[in-house]
Amino acid sequence: MSDTQRNDGRQPSDLRAFSIDWDPMGFALSSVIVRTGRTTVLCSVCQEVGVPRWRRDQGLGWLSAEYRLLPGSTPDRQRRELMKLSGRTQEIQRLIGRSLRAAIDMKALGENTLLIDCDVIQADAGTRTAAITGAWLALKKACERLLAQGRISTNPVVNQVAAVSVGLVEGNPLLDLDYSEDSRADVDLNVVMNNAGDLLELQGTAEGAPFSRRQLNSLLDLAEPGLQQLMAAQLNALHGD
């Protein structure tokens, strides 16, 4: 492992500090504030009876996600995206939706729609991965509450999902990059995995020179134990609630 010195004193294979605050939003079915280092995301789940028109009369549910950077979440004020979403925002919310749909048995959900909102309060890199990790927690709790209320008959959450970033900085593989690292990374890779160790999404970009298959393998080898740690932290957050 590299002996690269990180600004916050972490080792290359260390995650940022991870924490959860439950239910800051009293009217949502479930909500969490997730913190990974200085990155902070508010994730909430609401339920609507019924599904989109193209999904009707199939006995299947649906899940969709929205993502926004809030004003004040970045050093320069982020303007609200109202009528037109940026390409980045659309890409990220589709990633969140795909990742969480992989955790759900849509038949068990029935003809109900779960709406996931991920609002970034503070951005210090890794907002999309923090959003996925936190939103899964909110989703799990939301479905437990729907089940307890008798609004569904079976818990539809069948997989656990978490996400983390890895990257090459000055040729060295690092886990869970903060902005100071992400902004100068040669390679930036976001990894989404379930509790069986199956990969749900890989988003990798060579910011400078191309990277090799060997380097990709080294990044995945770094990401997997980090994701296992995040999943353990998710379960601790659920059991400690």
Side-chain angles (χ1 to χ4, degrees), residues 218-231:
S218 73
L219 290 173
L220 292 174
D221 288 343
L222 188 61
E224 185 168 357
L227 287 162
Q228 291 169 346
Q229 292 176 55
L230 282 172
M231 289 185 194

Side-chain angles (χ1 to χ4, degrees), residues 150-227:
R151 293 154 74 180
I152 55 175
S153 58
T154 303
N155 193 325
V157 179
V158 293
N159 289 308
Q160 186 177 358
V161 172
V164 77
S165 67
V166 283
L168 290 175
V169 179
E170 298 176 352
N172 298 306
L174 301 179
L175 178 68
D176 198 8
L177 279 62
D178 65 18
Y179 180 76
S180 69
E181 297 161 339
D182 181 80
S183 61
R184 58 192 177 93
D186 302 314
V187 175
D188 182 21
L189 181 69
N190 297 302
V191 184
V192 188
M193 192 175 80
N194 66 19
N195 52 303
D198 298 322
L199 295 170
L200 305 179
E201 288 268 354
L202 292 178
Q203 289 188 333
T205 303
E207 303 287 355
F211 58 103
S212 68
R213 175 68 175 271
R214 178 185 59 80
Q215 289 173 312
L216 173 61
N217 289 340
S218 73
L219 290 173
L220 292 174
D221 288 343
L222 188 61
E224 185 168 357
L227 287 162

Side-chain angles (χ1 to χ4, degrees), residues 12 19 23 28 31 35 43-44 56 59 96 98 103 106 113 143 153 175 179 195:
S19 66
D23 290 318
S31 61
R35 295 181 177 86
C43 306
S44 63
R56 290 176 188 166
I96 296 167
R98 288 193 303 269
M106 293 297 179
T113 298
C143 289
S153 58
L175 178 68
Y179 180 76
N195 52 303

Side-chain angles (χ1 to χ4, degrees), residues 69-80:
L69 285 168
L70 295 181
S73 63
T74 55
D76 294 326
R77 182 184 182 276
Q78 183 74 27
R79 291 191 175 188
R80 295 185 189 275

